[in-house]
Amino acid sequence: MKFGIMINEGPYNHQAADSAYQFAKAALEKGHEIFRVFFYHDGVNNATRLAVPPQDDRNVTKMWQELAEAHKLDLVVCIAAAQRRGILDADEAKRQGKDADNIASGFRISGLGQLIEAGIQADRLLVFGD
Amino acid sequence: MKFGIMINEGPYNHQAADSAYQFAKAALEKGHEIFRVFFYHDGVNNATRLAVPPQDDRNVTKMWQELAEAHKLDLVVCIAAAQRRGILDADEAKRQGKDADNIASGFRISGLGQLIEAGIQADRLLVFGD
Amino acid sequence: MAMLHTVNKSSFDRNTFESCLRLAKEGSSVLLIEDGVYAAMKNTTAAEQINSAMGTLTFYVLGPDMDARGIKADALIDGFKIVDYNGFVDLSIEHDSVQSWL
Amino acid sequence: MAMLHTVNKSSFDRNTFESCLRLAKEGSSVLLIEDGVYAAMKNTTAAEQINSAMGTLTFYVLGPDMDARGIKADALIDGFKIVDYNGFVDLSIEHDSVQSWL
Amino acid sequence: MSTIKKFFYVNRKAPYGTVYALESLEVVLIGAAFEQDVTLAFIDDGVYQLMKNQSTAGIGMKNFSPTYKALGDYDVTKLYVEKESLEARGLTIDDLMDLKWEDEDDDWAENDSIRVVTSAELADIMSEQDVVLSF
Amino acid sequence: MSTIKKFFYVNRKAPYGTVYALESLEVVLIGAAFEQDVTLAFIDDGVYQLMKNQSTAGIGMKNFSPTYKALGDYDVTKLYVEKESLEARGLTIDDLMDLKWEDEDDDWAENDSIRVVTSAELADIMSEQDVVLSF
């Protein structure tokens, strides 16, 4: 079965990203497909490569990167939500005249249409948020 | 009178930073002093210079920068909370082996002791959060 | 010591306001801000609780947050005083300490 | 169509769970996750409401979230079924759609 | 993509205190281009999103309430408001914005977009949906 | 700094679902070095922070509940738990961790850190505080 997942909150402040990760991992291990993981609202903050969580805690961004690497996941960050909150890739940084970018590898920035498409293509869409 | 202000949420997702800003602005215009504004939890996300909010909306980071500039405000970002969430200054980026930093000018990164000190030094401490 | 309590959550969504009323001491003031302002409206399921607390607590509501949400002054429960951000600053000075109910 | 409703908020803090119970149709399932799991405990002010909904809805609770919060299986209201993340995945497949109450 | 699915947007949060109402509306507008079957539900504090006379100058935030009036032009015409949520908040439909849509199949007749429904009715509508987006 | 102020930490949120409990504890630990008069209150879902037997392996998050046991060593010895909040949740003090502190002025006698108080008692304590930190 094909799943779509939407994540509405950033890592650490809320459990949403952790729950979504555990769900995605279980689904993949059972042989299901994840059509796309879409990061919206503060969820875009999952996609920064600049976070340095404490040594004795999990690294949520890295967890997503490794899961994506192993299963060719499509991790999509909403461009409008990301711009509001300061998550940029190199192209966006250039276009906006910013001197740095912070997106982690494995994530890509795109439009809200990608969320609707996930709703259409996936057999089930699950939302994790606050 | 001397105020301390703690902000627990990032910009846009919650009104906390906006309310704190309006309060601080009113207090300063009435001739009061703001001893320190301390950004904690997701509040550290107020301090990114990479955000590009829509043209027809406010720019919360810029609002803080301009208020700080005009009134010599001390805008302090909690280092532990900032590391978890990927808000770094150049020194921290170097120390952590990161290839970029994203802190906005006018903000400084420091420890939680700065919050306690604000509680001790200020006549009133106000918290804005979720 | 007189305390200023601020509540920024809708009383219909969360228990924040209810807890504030339970723990605010007689003579304290309560200021509703952000989504907290909805509790100041008449004819809601929360109104009775506020009416019965009017004798022991003083209630304020932040005007700019009311305006943003389309709440007119005549929709408020009798006894609520409307303040702006200047009034919020004054209230925090007039009271000995401020507790934010988050 | 049978729907899976997930609730991730404490029923003591927010109205989320109450709204879910009001709007979930007979034959639906409710899965408590994250801070939502507290509502599954016996002897709380929420327990009666759940007991009376047991006839029309099926209730599940996410074990890993119970464990994290120190809730033992014997503290649960009778009728709650404990699932892990695999069970969560299965439930989302067995039902026609999933609604997250946030 | 030829599949037509029923998309259901659940709005349960008040505007301005959090960004969910605004960013949910942004999804609805983008989603409208995909020609799916779109329904919006306003439950609990979500009903406050539709209040008349919103004026945000004093808080320095953008007033996005006029966008709801544009939904009809995007063929988003089914806005269900739960009666019980309105009543608990002391509100009636007169406190909400007057949202209309024009029916091109009926000589552009003006119709109300907002329909007040009971929880039981809303539960029926909800149970028929394919994709539920909540914010 | 010679001023001694009464610092009051208000904990009203459950652990793990949000980070507030954990990051609040981090403030308390740092704050202990400042030798102020420190009191912690556990109200509403905050009482869940003190539950026994927390085990987070299944959710992949750090179990920070042992840190509460260390508070006594930092001279943080006043943890007030609201009785009404416990009761509404079907809990008794036996469901909470057994937190102790040793009184160096009384031959290191062991004392309970947790004190269950009524809302009326807690309201009195709260009204005497100088700085209220809520998360």
Side-chain angles (χ1 to χ4, degrees):
Chain A
M1 187 160 261
K2 226 188 290 182
F3 287 101
I5 290 176
M6 168 158 82
I7 298 176
N8 290 346
E9 299 298 329
Y12 311 113
N13 223 77
H14 296 86
Q15 200 184 340
D18 293 283
S19 298
Y21 170 82
Q22 300 290 349
F23 180 92
K25 192 161 154 277
L28 291 164
E29 283 169 4
K30 282 163 107 31
H32 299 296
E33 186 190 333
I34 308 275
F35 176 76
R36 179 170 294 150
V37 183
F38 191 84
F39 297 87
Y40 197 42
H41 304 301
D42 269 3
V44 300
N45 291 324
N46 283 279
T48 176
R49 71 170 183 273
L50 301 185
V52 189
Q55 299 279 357
D56 60 352
D57 203 352
R58 77 256 186 237
N59 184 326
V60 177
T61 301
K62 208 171 148 206
M63 282 155 48
W64 284 118
Q65 288 177 306
E66 290 173 357
L67 200 67
E69 179 78 24
H71 298 274
K72 309 232 173 304
L73 288 192
D74 188 18
L75 306 179
V76 179
V77 177
C78 170
I79 187 164
Q83 285 182 345
R84 255 193 200 106
R85 292 166 179 86
I87 300 291
L88 300 176
D89 60 17
D91 283 353
E92 269 300 295
K94 201 173 161 192
R95 226 164 53 91
Q96 305 290 350
K98 296 288 182 180
D99 63 347
D101 67 84
N102 58 350
I103 200 167
S105 62
F107 293 83
R108 67 183 178 93
I109 292 183
S110 188
L112 277 169
Q114 302 272 314
L115 169 62
I116 306 296
E117 200 202 355
I120 295 170
Q121 296 296 329
D123 300 304
R124 299 285 183 279
L125 186 84
L126 278 88
V127 183
F128 294 88
D130 177 30
Chain B
M1 186 159 261
K2 224 189 291 181
F3 288 101
I5 291 176
M6 169 159 81
I7 298 176
N8 289 347
E9 298 299 329
Y12 312 111
N13 222 78
H14 296 85
Q15 200 185 340
D18 293 283
S19 298
Y21 170 83
Q22 300 291 349
F23 181 92
K25 193 162 154 275
L28 292 165
E29 283 169 4
K30 283 163 103 34
H32 300 296
E33 185 189 332
I34 308 276
F35 176 76
R36 181 169 292 149
V37 183
F38 191 84
F39 297 87
Y40 197 42
H41 304 302
D42 270 2
V44 302
N45 291 324
N46 282 279
T48 176
R49 71 171 183 275
L50 301 185
V52 190
Q55 299 280 358
D56 60 351
D57 203 353
R58 77 255 186 237
N59 184 326
V60 176
T61 300
K62 208 171 149 207
M63 281 154 49
W64 284 116
Q65 287 177 306
E66 290 173 357
L67 200 68
E69 179 80 23
H71 299 273
K72 309 232 174 302
L73 288 192
D74 189 18
L75 307 179
V76 180
V77 178
C78 170
I79 186 164
Q83 284 182 347
R84 255 192 201 109
R85 292 166 179 85
I87 300 291
L88 300 176
D89 61 17
D91 283 355
E92 269 299 297
K94 201 175 163 190
R95 227 164 52 90
Q96 305 290 350
K98 295 290 182 180
D99 62 348
D101 67 84
N102 57 351
I103 199 166
S105 63
F107 294 82
R108 67 184 179 93
I109 291 182
S110 188
L112 277 168
Q114 302 273 314
L115 169 63
I116 306 297
E117 200 203 354
I120 295 171
Q121 297 296 329
D123 300 303
R124 299 284 183 278
L125 186 84
L126 277 89
V127 183
F128 294 87
D130 178 31
Chain C
M1 299 208 315
M3 209 163 179
L4 175 66
H5 298 268
T6 66
V7 176
N8 74 337
K9 288 294 170 303
S10 161
S11 57
F12 307 103
D13 179 39
R14 305 214 202 177
N15 71 354
T16 318
F17 182 61
E18 202 183 305
S19 295
C20 170
L21 292 187
R22 189 173 73 241
L23 287 159
K25 240 178 117 71
E26 185 164 346
S28 306
S29 300
V30 177
L31 168 63
L32 303 182
I33 68 170
E34 301 180 0
D35 290 345
V37 300
Y38 293 114
M41 293 180 80
K42 273 191 285 218
N43 304 323
T44 79
T45 48
E48 198 184 303
Q49 207 178 7
I50 295 173
N51 277 321
S52 67
M54 276 282 175
T56 51
L57 303 171
T58 312
F59 286 95
Y60 299 89
V61 56
L62 195 63
D65 277 325
M66 286 172 54
D67 296 341
R69 290 159 180 83
I71 305 172
K72 303 275 191 196
D74 62 13
L76 297 188
I77 292 170
D78 289 341
F80 260 97
K81 295 173 196 170
I82 302 175
V83 295
D84 59 9
Y85 288 103
N86 284 322
F88 184 0
V89 172
D90 291 340
L91 283 174
S92 69
I93 292 169
E94 290 159 16
H95 294 76
D96 298 298
S97 63
V98 184
Q99 170 156 1
S100 302
W101 290 83
L102 300 178
Chain D
M1 300 207 318
M3 211 165 177
L4 175 66
H5 298 268
T6 66
V7 176
N8 73 336
K9 289 294 171 301
S10 161
S11 57
F12 307 103
D13 178 39
R14 305 214 202 176
N15 72 352
T16 318
F17 183 60
E18 203 182 305
S19 294
C20 170
L21 291 187
R22 189 174 72 242
L23 287 160
K25 239 179 118 73
E26 185 164 346
S28 306
S29 299
V30 177
L31 169 64
L32 303 181
I33 68 170
E34 301 181 0
D35 290 346
V37 300
Y38 293 115
M41 293 180 79
K42 275 191 283 219
N43 304 324
T44 79
T45 47
E48 199 184 302
Q49 207 179 6
I50 295 173
N51 278 323
S52 67
M54 276 283 175
T56 51
L57 303 171
T58 311
F59 286 94
Y60 299 88
V61 56
L62 195 63
D65 277 323
M66 286 171 54
D67 296 342
R69 290 159 181 82
I71 305 172
K72 302 275 191 197
D74 61 13
L76 298 188
I77 293 171
D78 288 341
F80 261 97
K81 296 173 195 170
I82 303 175
V83 296
D84 60 8
Y85 288 103
N86 285 322
F88 185 178
V89 172
D90 291 341
L91 284 174
S92 69
I93 293 169
E94 291 159 15
H95 294 77
D96 298 298
S97 63
V98 183
Q99 170 154 3
S100 302
W101 290 83
L102 301 178
Chain E
M1 289 176 294
S2 61
T3 331
I4 299 265
K5 280 194 173 181
K6 293 187 178 202
F7 273 70
F8 193 64
Y9 294 86
V10 179
N11 297 285
R12 290 185 57 252
K13 291 173 184 165
Y16 309 115
T18 54
V19 82
Y20 305 107
L22 165 62
E23 290 191 331
S24 159
L25 204 45
E26 291 182 356
V27 181
V28 172
L29 292 176
I30 297 287
F34 285 74
E35 303 195 339
Q36 304 293 306
D37 179 5
V38 173
T39 302
L40 275 59
F42 296 85
I43 307 171
D44 294 326
D45 282 356
V47 303
Y48 288 132
Q49 294 179 23
L50 302 176
M51 291 268 283
K52 276 179 185 163
N53 303 319
Q54 298 178 29
S55 166
T56 57
I59 59 170
M61 291 169 75
K62 180 183 158 185
N63 178 0
F64 60 95
S65 64
T67 311
Y68 293 98
K69 296 193 179 164
L71 288 177
D73 302 336
Y74 287 82
D75 290 325
V76 176
T77 61
K78 291 181 282 185
L79 278 66
Y80 292 99
V81 172
E82 195 204 16
K83 186 166 170 280
E84 286 77 358
S85 295
L86 273 184
E87 287 174 355
R89 288 159 186 78
L91 302 175
T92 70
I93 190 160
D94 295 334
D95 295 304
L96 306 185
M97 292 182 280
D98 188 22
L99 306 183
K100 301 284 191 190
W101 63 282
E102 294 178 343
D103 189 349
E104 59 177 310
D105 297 332
D106 183 18
D107 198 22
W108 304 98
E110 268 206 343
N111 298 285
D112 290 320
S113 297
I114 295 181
R115 309 178 211 183
V116 178
V117 293
T118 64
S119 353
E121 289 167 327
L122 191 56
D124 282 337
I125 295 162
M126 196 176 272
S127 70
E128 296 300 320
Q129 304 297 322
D130 297 310
V131 181
V132 182
L133 292 172
S134 37
F135 303 92
Chain F
M1 291 176 292
S2 62
T3 331
I4 299 263
K5 281 194 172 180
K6 294 189 176 199
F7 274 70
F8 193 65
Y9 294 86
V10 180
N11 297 285
R12 290 185 57 252
K13 291 173 184 166
Y16 308 115
T18 54
V19 83
Y20 304 107
L22 166 61
E23 290 191 331
S24 160
L25 204 45
E26 291 182 355
V27 181
V28 173
L29 292 175
I30 298 287
F34 285 74
E35 302 195 340
Q36 303 293 306
D37 180 3
V38 173
T39 302
L40 275 59
F42 296 85
I43 308 170
D44 295 325
D45 282 356
V47 304
Y48 288 133
Q49 295 179 21
L50 302 175
M51 290 270 282
K52 276 180 185 161
N53 302 319
Q54 298 177 29
S55 166
T56 57
I59 58 169
M61 291 169 75
K62 181 183 159 187
N63 177 0
F64 60 95
S65 64
T67 311
Y68 293 99
K69 296 193 178 163
L71 288 177
D73 303 335
Y74 287 83
D75 291 324
V76 176
T77 61
K78 291 181 281 186
L79 279 67
Y80 293 99
V81 172
E82 195 204 18
K83 186 166 171 279
E84 286 78 356
S85 295
L86 272 185
E87 287 175 355
R89 287 160 186 76
L91 301 175
T92 71
I93 189 159
D94 294 334
D95 295 304
L96 306 185
M97 292 183 279
D98 189 22
L99 306 183
K100 301 283 190 189
W101 64 281
E102 294 179 343
D103 188 350
E104 59 177 309
D105 298 331
D106 183 19
D107 199 21
W108 304 98
E110 267 206 345
N111 298 285
D112 290 321
S113 298
I114 294 182
R115 307 177 213 183
V116 178
V117 293
T118 64
S119 351
E121 289 167 328
L122 191 56
D124 282 338
I125 294 161
M126 196 176 273
S127 71
E128 296 301 322
Q129 304 296 322
D130 297 311
V131 181
V132 182
L133 292 172
S134 37
F135 302 93

